[in-house]
Amino acid sequence: MKELLEEIINGWSSATREKFTNHPIAQKIRIEFPNKIRDYISETHPSFIVKSSAGAGNWANVAWLSILNPEITTTTQDGIYPVYLFKADGSGIYLSLILGTTNPAKSLGKKEANKQADNISQYIRESIDGLKNWGDSSIDLAATTALGKSYETSNIVAKYYPSELMPDEEILKKDLMDLLVFYEQVPALWMKIKRDEASDINFSIQLTTQVDNIPLPKPFILLSGISGTGKTRFVKQQAISSRQDASNYQLVPVRPDWHEPSDLLGYISRLGDKGAEYIVTDFLRFIVAAWKDVIESIEVHEISYKDDCVPYWLCLDEMNLAPVEQYFADYLSVIETRYWENGKYSCDPLLNASIFTQVADVSKLRNSLNLEGDENDDLWDYFFKNGISIPPNLIVAGTVNMDETTHGFSRKVIDRAFTLDFGEFFPNDYQHYFEPKTQAKVLSFPVLSQVDPDLMTKVESDKDAQKSIQFLESINAELKGTPFELAYRALNELLIAVVCFEPKDEVSLQAVWDDFLMTKVLPRIEGDGEKLQDDGEHNLFNKLESVLAFQLSQIWESEARPDLLRENINGDVLTIPCRSKKKINWMKNRLSDNGFTSFWP
């Protein structure tokens, strides 16, 4: 490790004056250094997460490598963790125990977050024997940016290694292992801090804690239901749960006259005498903002993304006032091209790179996209060569009301969406209007588009995917010969849902299947008696009920299935009746009463 650190430190100053992308020093920080640390700690702390950064598109003012205990945090933006901090001037490196302050600063403000950090730092130093004498409570990173300086103020204790007096390998390793021994005492202290139980520390504000977000199976959600149930508010609250200032939220009201993608993505205008100009929309600016927040580094055709970034929620309000298949056509096609592999993400462009060559004043377009400044050079170059695609952290949520003023959905739209009957998944409860008894869980963006056998082995209740495959085969046997038959995409998305929700037992697995029926299968079914094979005594719904009574035997007649998207207000598991049983019965009765039925209320 000594030689590696010396190479990084000695090469840092000259490296930061050169192009960031694929620079050898950046690669040493991002790949070689983390691998070395993992070798050191793999036996003693196998669950710890090692992350590092030399910058995101451009050089960081202060490069770092962090070691995270998942019991405390999985992000450098919150919690307490050991970290190596490289001085901005390349004169040395600190091994520090530090407090993540990014999330607290967003929710509390910088002043209160710093005050809280001082209190917690003092409490940790006084609570762990030997920590106070292990190193210094103050550090100087020679930082010139606000982020770099924030590391200085959030340091708990640190040791400094100057470039000209780098210790030998044994001392470097011993210092790290000693700090990890101290770090083993932090989880219990952190729990006390979160619960405000430490009597010797005066917390003036409630601490911000890391929330375990649930990755959605799809980044495109349809929230259907009657007006006034809180669909739009739900989307904004999801954004705020990740970032208090709601800068990761954008509301776009859909207009009835939208009939092509340019209504969302913008268009080239040739009016005036200054040549072609691209008219930028809020939708496009928000996509670029999400890209700026998520990138770790940029290569020729792929982007390495941060795994601790927040989801960006875009709400298309009253989405079906205009025909979705027309104005949203580009997104519906491109969403199927998203691909993740080894921390890298790729996707076909929503806005083709050819657009940039048609515009007379490219710098004006760059400014319109809020990409001015040297720190955005690499991202702008990437867009210029590859176009602008769907960011991995973007979630599009469309609110939907079904009445005489709105349009229906084709199966192309439904197959690409995660449909939530809002009244069923998040029911209004008048009796608890002032004091809610339940709350929505915090949702995040997908992290995969394809399931492989290795991913399934992590699911305790269905390690080889055979249970889920047999479940879908039994459903598809009844749908065969109808327009509602399911294909490979349905199986892949069922398995993605299983991986996302990680059911631990048979009841939880059947809960995932139940919600899959509600979000992906039943929304596709609509029509009259002929289409639904209604002969007066039997129809498609009767056949599905017969199959599901067996396939969902653990939850079909009980109220014991866990709610995957809600919980009790105290965080306990909320149990509910089988959703699909109720919905199928409702659709069947609607067919009987009206001669026609659909999923949509």
Side-chain angles (χ1 to χ4, degrees):
M1 181 161 64
K2 176 183 179 181
E3 292 182 3
L4 179 60
L5 292 179
E6 287 176 335
E7 287 180 27
I8 295 171
I9 293 171
N10 294 333
W12 179 256
S13 294
S14 60
T16 55
R17 294 191 292 271
E18 299 168 359
K19 191 172 179 62
F20 174 78
T21 304
N22 294 326
H23 195 287
I25 293 296
Q27 296 296 86
K28 288 181 184 298
I29 295 172
R30 294 182 56 238
I31 300 173
E32 292 184 38
F33 193 18
N35 287 341
K36 177 67 69 174
I37 297 301
R38 290 188 187 101
D39 287 343
Y40 280 167
I41 70 172
S42 59
E43 292 187 8
T44 56
H45 302 88
S47 65
F48 283 14
I49 302 167
V50 179
K51 296 183 180 182
S52 65
S53 176
N58 289 282
W59 291 102
N61 187 231
V62 175
W64 51 264
L65 179 143
S66 62
I67 304 169
L68 310 177
N69 181 349
E71 294 182 17
I72 301 172
T73 183
T74 57
T75 171
T76 59
Q77 299 183 1
D78 206 347
I80 298 174
Y81 53 92
V83 61
Y84 287 94
L85 297 166
F86 292 87
K87 288 193 68 169
D89 60 5
S91 60
I93 183 173
Y94 285 94
L95 172 58
S96 165
L97 185 65
I98 204 170
L99 183 70
T101 59
T102 302
N103 284 342
K106 289 173 182 176
S107 60
L108 306 172
K110 184 177 180 181
K111 182 177 179 181
E112 288 295 336
N114 287 342
K115 180 180 177 181
Q116 184 187 86
D118 288 341
N119 288 339
I120 295 174
S121 296
Q122 181 179 349
Y123 174 61
I124 295 295
R125 285 193 297 268
E126 293 176 351
S127 301
I128 299 178
D129 292 339
L131 187 61
K132 186 181 294 186
N133 298 323
W134 180 82
D136 299 320
S137 60
S138 62
I139 60 177
D140 178 12
L141 294 169
T144 58
T145 65
L147 179 59
K149 292 176 181 178
S150 71
Y151 299 139
E152 297 174 343
T153 58
S154 56
N155 174 66
I156 298 172
V157 65
K159 280 195 173 184
Y160 180 57
Y161 309 123
S163 58
E164 68 276 8
L165 292 173
M166 185 67 62
D168 59 31
E169 191 84 7
E170 289 72 19
I171 293 176
L172 290 171
K173 184 174 182 180
K174 183 179 184 303
D175 286 347
L176 172 61
M177 302 312 291
D178 286 347
L179 183 57
L180 291 179
V181 170
F182 294 137
Y183 189 44
E184 290 172 356
Q185 302 178 52
V186 171
L189 299 174
W190 185 244
M191 289 302 295
K192 290 181 181 180
I193 292 170
K194 287 196 297 181
R195 296 170 182 169
D196 199 6
E197 292 176 353
S199 59
D200 57 342
I201 185 168
N202 180 25
F203 293 105
S204 58
I205 43 185
Q206 184 178 359
L207 292 172
T208 301
T209 59
Q210 179 67 17
V211 179
D212 291 329
N213 296 349
I214 299 173
L216 284 165
K218 298 284 284 190
F220 176 31
I221 308 175
L222 296 179
L223 302 176
S224 69
I226 60 176
S227 180
T229 54
K231 298 185 292 294
T232 304
R233 181 176 180 273
F234 168 82
V235 179
K236 187 171 185 178
Q237 288 299 316
Q238 284 291 328
I240 290 174
S241 66
S242 299
R243 183 173 289 172
Q244 289 292 312
D245 64 0
S247 59
N248 58 329
Y249 171 75
Q250 179 71 50
L251 178 67
V252 177
V254 173
R255 292 170 52 92
D257 59 351
W258 285 3
H259 291 285
E260 57 173 322
S262 63
D263 293 313
L264 264 184
L265 292 173
Y267 58 92
I268 292 178
S269 172
R270 303 186 187 276
L271 298 177
D273 56 0
K274 295 183 178 180
E277 176 185 0
Y278 198 84
I279 307 302
V280 175
T281 62
D282 290 340
F283 180 89
L284 193 58
R285 287 193 189 91
F286 190 69
I287 285 177
V288 171
W291 270 121
K292 289 166 66 176
D293 199 58
V294 76
I295 57 171
E296 178 72 35
S297 63
I298 301 175
E299 299 178 13
V300 179
H301 297 296
E302 291 180 322
I303 287 184
S304 297
Y305 59 92
K306 302 174 185 175
D307 56 6
D308 59 354
C309 60
V310 303
Y312 272 60
W313 289 83
L314 186 132
C315 181
L316 291 175
D317 198 28
E318 303 290 353
M319 184 179 193
N320 59 331
L321 279 179
V324 177
E325 293 83 353
Q326 295 178 21
Y327 75 84
F328 214 43
D330 287 8
Y331 178 92
L332 294 173
S333 296
V334 170
I335 192 176
E336 296 299 299
T337 68
R338 297 168 304 118
Y339 185 71
W340 287 261
E341 185 176 22
N342 299 326
K344 295 181 179 180
Y345 168 83
S346 61
C347 178
D348 287 355
L350 277 173
L351 191 69
N352 289 321
S354 60
I355 292 294
F356 298 97
T357 63
Q358 301 177 46
V359 176
D361 188 349
V362 178
S363 62
K364 183 178 180 180
L365 174 57
R366 178 173 177 172
N367 292 339
S368 297
L369 293 171
N370 298 323
L371 286 171
E372 62 272 18
D374 294 344
E375 69 275 10
N376 294 313
D377 282 350
D378 283 351
L379 184 58
W380 171 251
D381 289 344
Y382 179 85
F383 288 158
F384 200 87
K385 295 174 183 175
N386 300 283
I388 301 176
S389 56
I390 301 172
N393 58 333
L394 178 71
I395 301 173
V396 176
T399 65
V400 176
N401 295 317
M402 287 293 184
D403 57 37
E404 62 278 0
T405 68
T406 60
H407 297 263
F409 293 108
S410 69
R411 278 185 284 278
K412 176 182 178 180
V413 175
I414 296 169
D415 285 352
R416 287 161 171 78
F418 186 69
T419 302
L420 295 178
D421 183 342
F422 200 80
E424 292 296 329
F425 279 85
F426 304 98
N428 293 156
D429 187 348
Y430 286 2
Q431 295 300 320
H432 298 119
Y433 179 76
F434 294 109
E435 295 184 5
K437 299 296 184 182
T438 64
Q439 61 188 359
K441 293 183 179 180
V442 180
L443 307 177
S444 190
F445 53 90
V447 292
L448 69 158
S449 58
Q450 189 74 31
V451 170
D452 59 40
D454 288 341
L455 284 171
M456 290 305 304
T457 59
K458 300 176 183 178
V459 180
E460 294 180 13
S461 58
D462 196 9
K463 288 183 179 293
D464 59 1
Q466 284 305 305
K467 292 179 182 179
S468 294
I469 291 173
Q470 291 168 11
F471 164 75
L472 199 61
E473 283 178 338
S474 69
I475 300 300
N476 219 22
E478 303 302 333
L479 299 177
K480 200 161 188 68
T482 74
F484 319 119
E485 186 175 350
L486 303 168
Y488 280 129
R489 179 189 289 139
L491 175 58
N492 181 58
E493 296 195 357
L494 171 60
L495 298 181
I496 288 176
V498 171
V499 170
C500 285
F501 293 107
E502 295 183 352
K504 299 291 191 285
D505 51 38
E506 192 71 19
V507 171
S508 298
L509 179 62
Q510 291 187 13
V512 176
W513 295 348
D514 185 27
D515 283 354
F516 179 79
L517 291 167
M518 288 289 290
T519 59
K520 302 297 298 183
V521 179
L522 296 181
R524 307 173 81 252
I525 300 177
E526 50 78 29
D528 56 16
E530 181 178 356
K531 195 173 184 180
L532 295 168
Q533 303 174 351
D534 189 357
D535 59 7
E537 294 184 7
H538 302 286
N539 55 42
L540 182 59
F541 296 117
N542 293 121
K543 297 176 182 177
L544 288 175
E545 284 180 325
S546 178
V547 170
L548 292 175
F550 175 75
Q551 292 293 335
L552 303 180
S553 59
Q554 300 289 317
I555 64 173
W556 189 252
E557 297 292 350
S558 74
E559 297 189 6
R561 62 144 289 188
D563 194 324
L564 305 178
L565 299 182
R566 288 187 305 154
E567 60 190 0
N568 287 312
I569 205 72
N570 61 1
D572 290 342
V573 174
L574 175 66
T575 57
I576 57 171
C578 179
R579 285 194 174 109
S580 58
K581 179 182 180 181
K582 178 182 177 182
K583 191 68 177 184
I584 289 173
N585 187 60
W586 179 85
M587 293 174 72
K588 182 171 68 172
N589 290 337
R590 191 178 187 186
L591 177 65
S592 176
D593 294 341
N594 302 328
F596 180 91
T597 193
S598 75
F599 171 86
W600 311 95

